[in-house]
Amino acid sequence: MITRAGWGLAAASALVYAAGAPLGYGQAAVLAVTGLAAVGAGALWTLRGARLEVRREVTPVKVARGEPAVAVLHVRNAGRWRHSGLVARDTCRDTTVTVDVPSLARRSARTVSYRLPTRRRGRTQVGPLLLDRGDPFGLARRSIAYGRADVLLVRPRTVPLTPLHSGRRRHLDGLASRSAPAGASSFNGLREYVIGDELRHVHWRSTARTGTLMVKELTDVNLPDTVVVLDTRASSYEGDDAFELAVDVAASAACAVARDRFPVRVLTGDGELLHAKGGPGEDEEVLDRLTLVERSDRAEPPRHALRQAGAGGALVLVSGDHAALADAAALRRRFDQVLFVRVGAPAADGGPRAAGVTVIEAADLGELAAAWPR
C-alpha cells in the first residue's frame, strides 16, 4: 500500500514533469522519473516475502481497572534476509497501540512489550495484531495480520472491607438463628446422653474421662447472609466515572463476604446477577460477573430488585441517586442491617437520612473503606 508520503512524491513528480516538459527542461523529466521509480521501488520492497514468526502474549488476562496489563510480542525472522522498518499495531477497544520492532537479522528473534489501556472496565478484545513492513523511505507499507485476538478482562477495583454481620442471637461460635441454612451447625457444648440422641454425636474423649456417656450439643449458626443491590439506571449517575465507582463499591462489598466463604447475592436493575453460596473461589466469580455490568435507561429502580431479596441478613444498596435511600428505608425491617452507599460528590447539606439505615457518602474507594462499619 502506498503511504501518504508515497502519493505525495508521485503527485509532485507528475507536477514537475507537467510544468517543465513544455518548456523544454530535460531535468524535469529526470526528476519525475526518479520520483516515480522511488515509489515503485518502495512498493516492490514491501511485496517481498517476509518469513516471520510472530506470537503475542497478554499478561495478566484478568486485571483490576487502572492496574497495568502488558502485551509481550515475540518476533522471529525465519528467512535469509535482514528485515527492518517493522511496526506492530495492536488494538484494544477503541485504542491503537503502536510499537517499533527492532531490525531483525537472519535467524534472529526480538521481544518487545507494551502497555495496554485498562482505564475502562469490561471484556476487552486485544487484536488482531498487525505487523506493518515499510520501505526505508516510508513510501510504501504492507500490513499483515498475525495470530488471533486475545481477551483481556478489566475487572472492578476493590478495597478490603469487613463483612456485615447479621443475626440477633449469639452463642459460643458466633451468630445463631433458626433460619440458618441446613448443615450450618457448630459445636456449642457437652451434655449427658439421653435416649434418642444420635450415637454419631457422642464425644468419646469426654466419655472416657468422666465415665459418663457425653454427647456434643450443636447449635445452628446463622451465616452472615448479605444482599448487594447495584442501581444500574443511567439517570442515577452523573457520568461514566460515577457509575464505575458504584460498580467498584458493589464489588468490594460482595467480595468481602465471598472471600470469607459466606453467602452473598448480587442484584442489579436487570435482575439477579449472582448468588454465591459460600464456596471457594466465588469472589473471583463476583468480579467476573460485575465486569460485564452496564448502566441502562431500561434498568428497573432498586425497589424492584429488593422485592427479590427475601428477608434477613444484611442489605447493601449502592446508587448515585439520593432518592434510592427511600427504597432501602421502606424495607429496613426485613433485614438485620441496612447500608446505603451513595457515590459521587457529597451533598452540601449532608444528604437525606433514614431511621434504621446507615448512610455512607463515598467519592472514592478510600472514603468507602474509612466509613465502612467495623
Side-chain angles (χ1 to χ4, degrees):
M1 181 180 72
I2 308 299
T3 63
R4 290 184 177 181
W7 286 116
L9 179 59
S13 300
L15 289 176
V16 167
Y17 180 77
L23 300 177
Y25 292 109
Q27 295 87 344
V30 174
L31 291 174
V33 171
T34 302
L36 294 175
V39 175
L44 291 175
W45 177 280
T46 58
L47 289 177
R48 188 183 65 178
R51 295 177 56 190
L52 298 175
E53 298 174 0
V54 182
R55 179 170 56 91
R56 186 237 290 115
E57 300 175 350
V58 175
T59 179
V61 295
K62 294 182 180 181
V63 63
R65 184 170 64 90
E67 292 187 355
V70 177
V72 182
L73 184 63
H74 306 275
V75 183
R76 181 177 180 272
N77 181 8
R80 296 181 297 174
W81 308 99
R82 170 181 288 272
H83 292 293
S84 59
L86 298 176
V87 177
R89 287 187 294 127
D90 219 349
T91 55
C92 187
R93 271 194 175 174
D94 301 329
T95 304
T96 300
V97 181
T98 303
V99 57
D100 293 327
V101 179
S103 178
L104 288 169
R106 58 190 299 255
R107 311 296 182 185
S108 66
R110 294 278 189 172
T111 299
V112 294
S113 60
Y114 46 94
R115 292 277 296 269
L116 296 174
T118 59
R119 185 178 180 274
R120 294 179 57 189
R121 175 185 49 84
R123 191 174 186 271
T124 305
Q125 177 175 301
V126 181
L129 175 72
L130 297 177
L131 200 63
D132 296 340
R133 185 179 177 219
D135 69 289
F137 302 103
L139 302 177
R141 183 182 62 197
R142 183 186 181 191
S143 298
I144 303 176
Y146 287 90
R148 56 178 177 79
D150 292 315
V151 175
L152 173 65
L153 212 59
V154 182
R155 306 195 295 184
R157 295 182 300 155
T158 60
V159 290
L161 300 176
T162 303
L164 297 175
H165 294 293
S166 58
R168 299 178 177 83
R169 185 165 58 88
R170 288 185 173 273
H171 67 92
L172 295 178
D173 280 344
L175 306 169
S177 170
R178 294 180 180 178
S179 63
S185 298
S186 182
F187 174 76
N188 193 44
L190 294 172
R191 61 173 173 80
E192 293 186 10
Y193 174 84
V194 296
I195 297 176
D197 286 339
E198 296 187 28
L199 292 177
R200 63 189 179 93
H201 291 160
V202 173
H203 195 266
W204 296 107
R205 184 174 299 177
S206 298
T207 298
R209 186 174 62 252
T210 62
T212 303
L213 198 61
M214 305 293 290
V215 296
K216 293 178 289 185
E217 187 176 33
L218 303 178
T219 304
D220 286 338
V221 179
N222 183 18
L223 300 179
D225 191 1
T226 305
V227 176
V228 178
V229 178
L230 174 62
D231 187 358
T232 54
R233 295 174 297 171
S235 59
S236 297
Y237 303 95
E238 296 180 356
D240 291 338
D241 290 341
F243 179 69
E244 291 301 319
L245 177 58
V247 178
D248 294 344
V249 170
S252 299
C255 285
V257 181
R259 283 169 183 154
D260 280 0
R261 305 282 187 91
F262 294 135
V264 60
R265 295 179 67 192
V266 181
L267 306 174
T268 69
D270 296 319
E272 183 174 276
L273 184 69
L274 175 72
H275 188 182
K277 299 182 179 180
E282 287 185 325
D283 56 320
E284 292 293 316
E285 187 176 359
V286 169
L287 292 174
D288 290 346
R289 295 289 185 88
L290 283 172
T291 296
L292 306 178
V293 170
E294 299 290 344
R295 58 180 179 148
S296 170
D297 294 326
R298 297 175 295 178
E300 297 288 347
R303 62 177 176 271
H304 290 272
L306 290 170
R307 290 171 184 168
Q308 310 174 33
L315 169 66
V316 180
L317 173 58
V318 185
S319 177
D321 185 6
H322 281 114
L325 175 60
D327 294 341
L331 300 175
R332 67 184 184 277
R333 297 185 183 276
R334 289 170 45 185
F335 297 92
D336 300 330
Q337 188 173 3
V338 178
L339 203 69
F340 173 67
V341 183
R342 189 258 173 187
V343 300
D349 57 355
R353 293 293 186 266
V357 180
T358 302
V359 179
I360 295 178
E361 297 274 351
D364 54 49
L365 288 180
E367 293 184 4
L368 173 71
W372 190 261
R374 291 174 174 80

